[in-house]
Every structure is written in structure tokens, then in C-alpha cells.
């Protein structure tokens, strides 16, 4: 049987700013960033999805926002609800403006985190109907509370997770297609908050994007994690994101997957 992949999955992305090297840093030391390499890595990352039949929606470049490429932090999708965030990093607040029309164009209901709440998408990990919300320097109690008010009536369970060793919750943990939470132990405050937890051997291995029930996308910088996940029967695709990892980014934060 021949099946054609309908473009019912849309990838929201924004090209890297020429000022990427000036992006925010919280836990890492600043090191030189190769802007040309970053642009090439970004294009390769987008191609992974394009080749799989995803529709790609490219947001306008936001050259004045060094961290604008990390679109995951600005919007989070829950079923038919799109939540525009309010970044905790002041330098990132302006990224929301250009995301507003994109959120509206999804045709879904749009809600927005408002002052004094702050919340960044990197702090939201969805596992089944549970939304784990990292409490970090970027996502405050009020932001988490506003999200809870939006999600609980829609049948979501909201679990707040203290995060002190990583920028975002999803810098420390993400989830495999079967819901197993994976993380790099030195970055995880308390793995027992998750129903299941699998330790991976590299910090770069904590972030996976679920491409389908049997396939994940992982940083090229995590060969040990790739081997571990393959042993579990997963197909692992890898892509280089070293220039974004220097800015505390990863494979999840370079896009928002609308499906
Ligand atoms: C920041 O500190 O905001 C950026 N340099 C990195 C954001 C990474 N976002 C993410 O993992 N969701």
C-alpha cells in the first residue's frame, strides 16, 4: 500500500539571529559560536522534518533577539489550545509579538501568560495527559498557576517540578514515545517525581524530539545515548546542534511541533 504523508504536522521555526553568540547563558561559560555553522546546522535540522513530510512555517527572522531561534520557549500547544508564553528572560519578551499571528493562524484557541507570570516553553514537558512544569529562573509560581488554570479543566494533570541544576526542565529531561522520561542525572534534581526515569550518559542526550512512535531525533553529540535508545528498539536519527548547545539550546527548543 502506498501512503502519502499528509502535511498535518507543522513545524514552527525561526532562523538564527546573527547575534546568536550574545544569547542568554545561565549555567554554561560563554564560548565562541560559529554563526555560519549555526545557520548550516539549523537548515539541516529543518530538513529532517521537511524530508518526513512536515509543513514548515518559518517565522520572520528576529535579528535583534539573539535567542529568537529557540522558538519552543515562546509558545506551547495543548490539543486545541495554544499558549503564548511570557519569557522570564527580559531579553526574550519581545519574541512573543511575532509569534502572536502565528498562534492565531493555527486556528486553535489562543491563551497568553500574563504579568506577573513568567513561563518558558522549555519548562513544559508533556507526557500523556500530564504536563510537568519546571519551576526555574524562567518560569515562576504565577506562570505555573496560570497554566494550571488553563489546563486542568481540559483534563490535564499539572505537576510542578523544581529545577535548579539546568536552565529549563527540558534541558534536564524529555520523554520517549512510550512516555519513559529520560535525563542526565547530574542535571536532574529529583528523578522520583516522574513515573518512570531512564538515565542517559550524556547531557546532550537528554533532549529527544519524538518523530513517530518508533523514532526520535537526538543531538549528534550524544552517541552513548543513541546506542542506549537503539538497544531499546528505537530508531534514532541524529543531527548536529553543537552551536545551539553552546547557548544552552538543544534539539527540542529549535522548533514547535504542531500536530
Ligand atoms: C536562553 O537562555 O534563553 C537561550 N540561550 C537558550 C534557550 C533554550 N531553550 C530551550 O531549551 N527550550
Amino acid at each position: 500500500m502506498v501512503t502519502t504523508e499528509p502535511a498535518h504536522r507543522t513545524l514552527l521555526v525561526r532562523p538564527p539571529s546573527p547575534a546568536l553568540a550574545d544569547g542568554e547563558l545561565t549555567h554554561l561559560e560563554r564560548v565562541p559560536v560559529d554563526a555560519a555553522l549555526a545557520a548550516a546546522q539549523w537548515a539541516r535540522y529543518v530538513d529532517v522534518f521537511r524530508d518526513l513530510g512536515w509543513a514548515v512555517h518559518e517565522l520572520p527572522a528576529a535579528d535583534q533577539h539573539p535567542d529568537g531561534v529557540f522558538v519552543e520557549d515562546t509558545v506551547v500547544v495543548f490539543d486545541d489550545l495554544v499558549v503564548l508564553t511570557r519569557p522570564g528572560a527580559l531579553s526574550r519578551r519581545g519574541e512573543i509579538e511575532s509569534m502572536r499571528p502565528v498562534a492565531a493562524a493555527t486556528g486553535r484557541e489562543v491563551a497568553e501568560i500574563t504579568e506577573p507570570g513568567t513561563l518558558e516553553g522549555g519548562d513544559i514537558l508533556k507526557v500523556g495527559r500530564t504536563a510537568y512544569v519546571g519551576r526555574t529562573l524562567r518560569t515562576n509560581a504565577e506562570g505555573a498557576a496560570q497554566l494550571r488554570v488553563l489546563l486542568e479543566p481540559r483534563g490535564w494533570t499539572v505537576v510542578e517540578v523544581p529545577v535548579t541544576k539546568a536552565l529549563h526542565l527540558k534541558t534536564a529531561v524529555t520523554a520517549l514515545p512510550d512516555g519513559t522520561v529520560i535525563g542526565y542525572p547530574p542535571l536532574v534534581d529529583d528523578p522520583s517525581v516522574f513515573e518512570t526515569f531512564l538515565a542517559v550518559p550524556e547531557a546532550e542526550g537528554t533532549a529527544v524530539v519524538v518523530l513517530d512512535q518508533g523514532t526520535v531525533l537526538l543531538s549528534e553529540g550524544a552517541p552513548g545515548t543513541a546506542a542506549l535508545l537503539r538497544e531499546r528498539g528505537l530508531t534514532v536519527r541524529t543531527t548536529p546542534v553543537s552551536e545551539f548547545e553552546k547557548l544552552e539550546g538543544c534539539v527540542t527548543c529549535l522548533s514547535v511541533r504542531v500536530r
Side-chain angles (χ1 to χ4, degrees), residues 97-129:
E97 202 51 48
S98 55
M99 189 49 100
R100 218 170 257 128
V102 179
T106 64
R108 300 169 191 221
E109 186 182 339
V110 179
E112 197 158 342
I113 301 297
T114 55
E115 196 178 354
T118 65
L119 185 137
E120 295 189 2
D123 281 322
I124 312 301
L125 174 65
K126 292 177 277 184
V127 182
R129 300 295 294 174

Side-chain angles (χ1 to χ4, degrees), residues 32-115:
V33 172
D34 181 334
L37 182 56
Q41 290 182 342
W42 182 83
R44 247 179 101 170
Y45 172 89
V46 175
D47 277 347
V48 169
F49 294 86
R50 216 188 294 271
D51 291 349
L52 290 171
W54 288 64
V56 175
H57 183 130
E58 194 173 314
L59 276 88
D63 291 355
Q64 73 283 21
H65 292 297
D67 285 312
V69 69
F70 302 118
V71 284
E72 176 186 65
D73 294 322
T74 60
V75 67
V76 193
V77 182
F78 302 91
D79 312 320
D80 289 336
L81 175 72
V82 177
V83 179
L84 286 163
T85 70
R86 183 165 182 271
L90 282 177
S91 68
R92 302 202 55 186
R93 291 259 166 93
E95 295 172 27
I96 302 301
E97 202 51 48
S98 55
M99 189 49 100
R100 218 170 257 128
V102 179
T106 64
R108 300 169 191 221
E109 186 182 339
V110 179
E112 197 158 342
I113 301 297
T114 55
E115 196 178 354

